[in-house]
Structures are given as C-alpha cells and as structure tokens.
Amino acid sequence: QVQLVESGGDLVQAGGSLRLSCAASGSISNLIAMGWYRQVLEEQRVLVARIFSDGTTDYADSVKGRFTISRDNAKNTVYLRLNSLRPEDTGVYLCYVKHAESGLHITSWGQGTQVTVSS
C-alpha cells in the first residue's frame, strides 16, 4: 500500500513562491505518473501538474511558466515549485501516484496541503 505525505503549503501574498513536497512510502512498482491536483471547497479536483515515469511533464495551462514539477527518484518524492502565485491558485493541493499492479492502474492520494494566496 502506498502512502503519501504532502508538506509545504502556506499563506503567501500574490507574487510569492512556495515549494510543495510529497513523499511516497510503500511499494511502488511500475510507476506511471506522480503529480498534483488542486481542489477548492466542493469543486472538482483539477490537474495542476504531473510527471510521468520517463520524466515527461504536463501542466495545466493556467500554471505553465509559473509552476515546475520535479521528482527525486532516490527519495520517492515529487516536488512542485509555485512561483508568481495568484489568488486563483488558492486551494488544497493533493499529491497522487499512479502505478500498475496485476494489470490494474492504481491511484493513491495524499491528504493534501493548503495553499492560500492573498491579494
């Protein structure tokens, strides 16, 4: 079973920066992707950024050029650098890991870390 622990969320002013971390523990075989979603209250989760097993990255249009996702394979940790933050970036940032096991794609989620950007 994969467990994910996020950290790094905070209250910052618009234009500020943060770095989120997500440490994964447990057995992760056949990794497909790791990444981050954002959720605001009861709205649907929105993909922010993801990094695939081959290192390819993918970003939401709203964060391209401002956010950077990276991964430390040795530490089983994925990071999200958030620059030039805007009030609309506010939300709970949830880390996920998707991997393959016994022919199934399994997605594990962290509890989330709160990012609040004040104007």
Side-chain angles (χ1 to χ4, degrees):
Q1 185 175 356
V2 177
Q3 293 184 325
L4 303 172
V5 178
E6 301 106 326
S7 61
D10 206 345
L11 168 63
V12 296
Q13 290 188 332
S17 297
L18 287 173
R19 191 180 82 154
L20 307 183
S21 300
C22 173
S25 62
S27 176
I28 305 177
S29 58
N30 302 313
L31 176 69
I32 297 171
M34 299 180 73
W36 297 87
Y37 276 71
R38 180 175 63 237
Q39 185 163 23
V40 180
L41 297 176
E42 301 302 319
E43 295 178 4
Q44 188 174 358
R45 293 176 183 178
V46 176
L47 178 66
V48 176
R50 58 187 171 181
I51 183 165
F52 294 94
S53 57
D54 64 357
T56 304
T57 58
D58 184 28
Y59 296 92
D61 288 342
S62 61
V63 307
K64 285 180 181 176
R66 299 189 299 121
F67 292 8
T68 303
I69 190 168
S70 60
R71 186 178 70 222
D72 185 330
N73 293 327
K75 296 181 179 180
N76 260 353
T77 299
V78 64
Y79 304 97
L80 186 66
R81 178 71 180 180
L82 297 74
N83 292 331
S84 303
L85 280 161
R86 305 168 181 169
E88 55 264 37
D89 296 321
T90 294
V92 176
Y93 282 69
L94 299 123
C95 173
Y96 80 96
V97 170
K98 179 182 263 190
H99 68 283
E101 186 173 320
S102 301
L104 300 174
H105 287 186
I106 299 171
T107 301
S108 301
W109 293 91
Q111 293 298 310
T113 185
Q114 177 71 44
V115 172
T116 304
V117 185
S118 63
S119 57

